Amino acid sequence: MLNFENPIITCGSISYDENKTLHINKNPKASPFPLPFACCQLLKALTPEENTHSQHGLYFHDGERRVDYVLTYHLKKPGGARSSRQSVYLLTENTRDSSSLPSTRVADVELGCEGETYNSHEDHKAFRRQEFEGKLRDMGLELEKDEDSKIPGVGFVKIHAPWNVLCREAEFMKLKIPTKKRYEVKQSRGFVEKISSLVSKVLDPLHPHVEDHQPKNIKHLSHTFSREKQHLFDLSDKDCFFDSKTRSSIVSPLKVKQMWHPFLLSGITSLLGSGVYTAAYPLHDVSSSDAVNRPLLLYEWANYSVFYKYQPIGLVRKYFGEKIGLYFAWLGLYTQMLIPASLVGVIVFLYGCATVDDNIPSMEICHPRNNITMCPLCDRVCSYWKLSTACGTARASHLFDNPATVFFSIFMALWAAMFMEHWKRRQMRLNYEWDLTGFEDEEDHPRAEYEFRVMQKSMSKDQKSQHKMEKLNCRDRLPAYMTNIVMMLLMIGVTFAIVFGVILYRISTKAALHMSSNPTTRNNVQLTVKTTAAIINLVVILILDEVYGAVARWLTVLEVPKTDKSFEERLIFKTFILKFFNAFTPIIYIAFFRGRLVGRPGSYLYVFESYRMEECAHGGCLMELCIQLSITMLGKQLIQNNLFEIGVPKLKKLIRYIRSKQGAFQEEERQKKLQRYETDHFLEPFAGLTPEYMEMMIQFGFVTLFVASFPLAPLFALLNNIIEIRLDAKKFVTELRRPVAARAKDIGIWYNILKGVAKVAVIINAFVISFTSDFIPRMVYQYMYSPDGTMHGFVNHTLSYFNVSHFQDGKETMDPLHLGYRVEICRYKDYREPPWSDTPYEISKEFWTVLAVRLAFVIVFQNVVMLMSDIVDWLIPDIPKDISLQIHKEKILLVDLFMKEEQGKIHILESRPSTGGKENCSRSNNNNSTVAHPRSGLHTNSTKSF
């Protein structure tokens, strides 16, 4: 709405004042943001005579051609003097041919003022830049250089794609674009419609204030762009037809090699790696046709105050592309699915808290009349102790080791299956809404490194085989494969070695603390050792994560994968394997190995003949597993995922400011003086989505793999992800350079990783319940050995007897009278025959009974849960019924559209007089495409119901 009496002119909740400043109205009752096309028209109408676009740095110096992409390079001038001459030159479509430019002029621009000399290395870089930019001009792109920027030592190359280049490449990329044809999507009626309407009204406050003027039940019919069928599309404003996201994906020099020069080895990736260019990026929008996107994303998405709202996924996709949009859609769905998992986990935990006083085993341990004397926990320095001192540990273990744990494990396995199925349906719905239903991955051309290796191989052959098509085979890659195998095993071995080192730390520290003269220290030995060891493990995990990431990339480069997709998948696989082992090896040791290889009193297993292997506390290793899991999970989320993501980009940005001698200026003054492409130069380069996905995959492992020991894991993951979504959003909007928009119809290899983790989680949780917790021993005792069918006497049933006179020489305690009396028989947790039996200290039959039941439980649990998961997979279709119906009928509408168009052409030809002669005939043939447009049967104002 335009108000000509008021100097502030509003467009929805956007205001544009007389000082040419764009304002955002944060009033929630304000009208929603208009369509980009409408705001594009408004901004054009409000453009003053002096060009504000060029001042923002979004347009060329003439203020008309938009900057679609920017290249930066190091600008070195001897003596530090800056040229007073204007160093901006334009290469328009009329001067596209490099031969039309004077060679001295190009050389002067590249090398600086006359009389300046570069060394041979800088001359080579300047020559490669000149050659590459000539290739860009040959493609039809228009270039403008700026070497007089406010950033010393940095030159900029601004790239613009004219209309004909955009149309050509949009047709080549098979971009689907909405046509002028609209149709009505029939909504469900009856009871389902009333329920959905009620739910939408209840959830309306959770939706962001982002809304199109177009009704939700009206959709544009999309079709692959074609220059021959431009009349199908709304071309009333060509400047706004392709948005900035689409323009950058078309113009991006990162795709130059794939799109136009399949065999060009000097692609932008190689040029960036060799230092010919220092950066390549599209610009963030400020005052262009899509200017409403970034401010709106900042206030309605990248804002911690709207953490309770849904994400504007459609707007994220319009600004960043489908690939990034799918990541945030997946992250949002994953976070939503964590809500029911968190509620059930909290209920299970509260159940443990409510029943802790009714738990008979812990009551027996904590009973004051309990007079069970336990064997020493270590040699020499440790003495005998009363079982009642383990009361706190036993009560705490019940919080995580109770009958509800089995139910929660089954629930989380089904939850993972539901999540996977829900995501597949959500993904298909997004594919339909984003016009990706018929999208196929573009042909991935060979990487420059691969072609270079192939060229080296070809040159090493004799002249007779030069005509053959060479490629790298397994023999060529064998050294790299062997290096990969050896290094991967070595890195996993390093992880095992560090875990073993932490084991030695626990053993030695426990012995040292038992020798302390402070009674408080001796009473808290277990808690101190467990906590400090978990923190040490966390620090090591954080350090090795960075090391393993670099090692995985180095190994992938050695393999020389053929395509970028292959490179990314191999890198992801190696990184995930290394980081998975790094994060979960200490947890796996505690869950399945600690306390299993201890031996018995009088015949303990020793390491280095002096360190006795660790034992679990009487309450079991589940409590220690919970401590290790919670510290590792929370530490990784708080330190690595949040602190590093906030602090590292800001630190790098500060360093770039200092290096560019801009650190002395105030931030506000600097932002006023810098152009848009100069401001974006200080932002952090986009490094891909692999780190974002990777941290979520590891978190998914924490939530599902050992959830039987830590039911609060989904709650902590939920709280972290609520912050993570807004943190990532703020990082993408304000801290990172704008990524090149990439199309994708799914999340790729990450879905397979999720599926694999979910299947492994079923097996691991079955083993945790069977072997780590006391669930199976309790059930066996209650139903097979209990005299009254209750848990009374369970603790005594699990403890074996040992005669202290059978200790090895030098291994007995130094303080046998620690309890005030001499001990002859002590107890230890195991199923063994007593010393007075015919086979003293041999494994008893109760042990084999419990072991058989444990193995049977693993088999039954695994098969039942996987069967239930398969049933869930079968019951829930991958494609929603309404989406499949709409896709089918959209194809019918598209065929109907073209049939009417052809009928319109035939009708026009038949209506022409047959006596028009050759001149009329030829004229009608020449103008066939233009006259068919208004009569093509395309009704833009009418809608058709399904």
Side-chain angles (χ1 to χ4, degrees), residues 266-331:
S266 58
I268 187 62
T269 305
S270 300
L271 297 180
L272 288 172
S274 59
V276 177
Y277 290 103
T278 56
Y281 52 90
L283 298 180
H284 281 292
D285 290 328
V286 174
S287 60
S288 63
S289 61
D290 296 309
V292 295
N293 283 352
R294 198 184 188 206
L296 185 57
L297 285 172
L298 185 61
Y299 287 105
E300 292 293 342
W301 183 49
N303 192 348
Y304 294 106
S305 63
V306 294
F307 70 92
Y308 60 92
K309 290 186 177 182
Y310 292 107
Q311 300 180 85
I313 294 299
L315 198 62
V316 175
R317 171 250 178 179
K318 289 179 181 179
Y319 193 79
F320 291 109
E322 287 77 9
K323 194 169 186 179
I324 295 177
L326 280 174
Y327 164 71
F328 282 102
W330 175 85
L331 181 57

Side-chain angles (χ1 to χ4, degrees), residues 571-587:
L571 175 62
I572 290 172
F573 178 75
K574 294 182 182 64
T575 307
F576 177 77
I577 292 296
L578 291 176
K579 291 192 175 183
F580 180 87
F581 273 97
N582 184 37
F584 289 101
T585 298
I587 300 173

Side-chain angles (χ1 to χ4, degrees), residues 484 487-488 491 545-559 567 570-579 694:
N484 271 261
M487 288 299 298
M488 291 285 287
M491 293 296 102
D545 267 354
E546 303 300 322
V547 176
Y548 288 165
V551 170
R553 177 168 291 276
W554 173 66
L555 294 176
T556 308
V557 170
L558 283 182
E559 289 184 4
F567 182 91
R570 296 187 185 198
L571 175 62
I572 290 172
F573 178 75
K574 294 182 182 64
T575 307
F576 177 77
I577 292 296
L578 291 176
K579 291 192 175 183
M694 189 66 66

Side-chain angles (χ1 to χ4, degrees), residues 573-630:
F573 178 75
K574 294 182 182 64
T575 307
F576 177 77
I577 292 296
L578 291 176
K579 291 192 175 183
F580 180 87
F581 273 97
N582 184 37
F584 289 101
T585 298
I587 300 173
I588 292 174
Y589 162 74
I590 295 176
F592 303 125
F593 296 98
R594 183 173 180 177
R596 313 296 173 192
L597 305 175
V598 178
R600 61 169 179 84
S603 180
Y604 283 115
L605 180 65
Y606 290 91
V607 181
F608 301 137
E609 298 183 357
S610 58
Y611 294 105
R612 202 170 90 187
M613 290 298 294
E614 296 180 289
E615 297 182 56
C616 292
H618 184 76
C621 284
L622 202 66
M623 188 61 194
E624 299 180 25
L625 177 62
C626 177
I627 294 175
Q628 178 68 53
L629 185 63
S630 59

Side-chain angles (χ1 to χ4, degrees), residues 493-531:
V494 169
T495 303
F496 289 156
I498 291 176
V499 172
F500 184 72
V502 175
I503 294 172
L504 294 181
Y505 162 80
R506 279 199 290 257
I507 296 173
S508 58
T509 304
K510 185 183 298 183
L513 292 179
H514 275 292
M515 297 174 62
S516 174
S517 59
N518 189 343
T520 305
T521 303
R522 292 196 304 270
N523 293 334
N524 296 281
V525 169
Q526 294 290 340
L527 181 62
T528 303
V529 172
K530 294 173 188 176
T531 306

Side-chain angles (χ1 to χ4, degrees), residues 334 338 341 405-406 408-417 576-577 579-592 622 625-626 629-630 632-633 636 694-714 717 752-773 861 865-866:
Y334 171 48
L338 283 173
T405 301
V406 180
F408 189 57
S409 299
I410 298 174
F411 171 81
M412 288 303 296
L414 297 179
W415 173 87
F576 177 77
I577 292 296
K579 291 192 175 183
F580 180 87
F581 273 97
N582 184 37
F584 289 101
T585 298
I587 300 173
I588 292 174
Y589 162 74
I590 295 176
F592 303 125
L622 202 66
L625 177 62
C626 177
L629 185 63
S630 59
T632 303
M633 180 180 178
K636 280 181 66 66
M694 189 66 66
E695 65 185 61
M696 288 297 108
M697 294 299 123
I698 299 298
Q699 185 199 85
F700 186 77
F702 284 123
V703 169
T704 56
L705 290 178
F706 294 93
V707 73
S709 63
F710 190 37
L712 295 180
N752 297 328
I753 292 177
L754 281 173
K755 198 171 183 179
V757 171
K759 290 186 179 297
V760 173
V762 176
I763 302 174
I764 288 184
N765 280 304
F767 276 94
V768 168
I769 295 173
S770 296
F771 291 92
T772 308
S773 74
F861 182 90
V865 172
M866 286 191 173

